[in-house]
Amino acid sequence: MAFEFTTENKRRFDEILTRYPVKRAAMLPALWLVQHQAGWISHEAMEYVGKLLDLSPAKVYEVATFYTMFNLKPVGKYHFQVCRTLPCQLVGAESVTEHLQKKLGVKLGETSADGRYTLTEVECLGSCGTGPMLQLNDDYHENLTSEKLDALIASLK
Ligand code: FES
């Protein structure tokens, strides 16, 4: 499906461009804007960004696939990203993932059939002193326990 920025996001994109000496330097914020608008970055969106930045879709693809923070397939309304890097692993990251799999009824790397939850594991999110931790959509949740996870899930509308 063709992708285009909304009028508001096109205005934001134009404003982003003014901050960089060359267009291609705006690739990461442009991809963020796509993800913010659509929830993920499709091939069509990569082509669109490439056109706006005078770059080939392959160049955009290279960058979008390098960073795990970009979703390359649709994600659920609530995207749980559990940090699995060593410091978090040592304080129970694995049990966080297990608990979420059970409570959300979704396997690691998958989205629930109703499109509500996606569960993934990611590398260090820079909050190593407060593990185990996860990112839920745009927010961090730290020092996780089973009770905290249950309360978090219960708070979701
Ligand atoms: S190791 Fe988990 S946030 Fe850094």
Side-chain angles (χ1 to χ4, degrees):
M1 214 194 343
F3 178 90
E4 235 178 77
F5 280 137
T6 59
T7 311
E8 175 57 16
N9 282 341
K10 181 66 173 64
R11 193 197 54 71
R12 283 191 187 133
F13 171 79
D14 291 339
E15 192 274 318
I16 287 167
L17 276 188
T18 65
R19 297 186 220 154
Y20 296 94
V22 288
K23 275 183 169 186
R24 69 171 184 278
M27 170 110 65
L28 289 178
L31 289 172
W32 264 125
L33 207 50
V34 170
Q35 182 155 296
H36 186 72
Q37 179 176 314
W40 67 295
I41 301 171
S42 64
H43 282 124
E44 289 78 7
M46 291 182 204
E47 271 174 36
Y48 177 75
V49 168
K51 273 192 197 127
L52 291 177
L53 299 178
D54 298 329
L55 292 168
S56 69
K59 274 275 168 239
V60 183
Y61 182 82
E62 257 173 39
V63 173
T65 53
F66 181 78
Y67 295 98
T68 58
M69 71 237 192
F70 292 130
N71 303 320
L72 301 179
K73 55 185 187 180
V75 293
K77 180 176 180 194
Y78 298 110
H79 186 189
F80 289 81
Q81 300 180 79
V82 181
C83 171
R84 67 169 173 207
T85 304
L86 191 63
C88 279
Q89 217 181 76
L90 292 174
V91 289
E94 240 172 71
S95 48
V96 168
T97 300
E98 266 169 39
H99 193 81
L100 287 173
Q101 289 193 107
K102 263 189 235 146
K103 290 284 169 166
L104 303 177
V106 60
K107 288 206 178 91
L108 184 60
E110 291 183 0
T111 298
S112 57
D114 60 2
R116 198 168 154 80
Y117 304 117
T118 297
L119 176 61
T120 52
E121 283 185 338
V122 294
E123 298 306 332
C124 181
L125 291 169
S127 188
C128 324
T130 55
M133 61 81 63
L134 61 77
Q135 182 175 344
L136 173 59
N137 295 352
D138 292 331
D139 298 320
Y140 277 15
H141 299 271
E142 300 158 306
N143 298 305
L144 294 169
T145 59
S146 303
E147 293 72 30
K148 275 193 180 178
L149 288 170
D150 290 345
L152 177 61
I153 294 166
S155 73
L156 303 177
K157 304 249 154 52

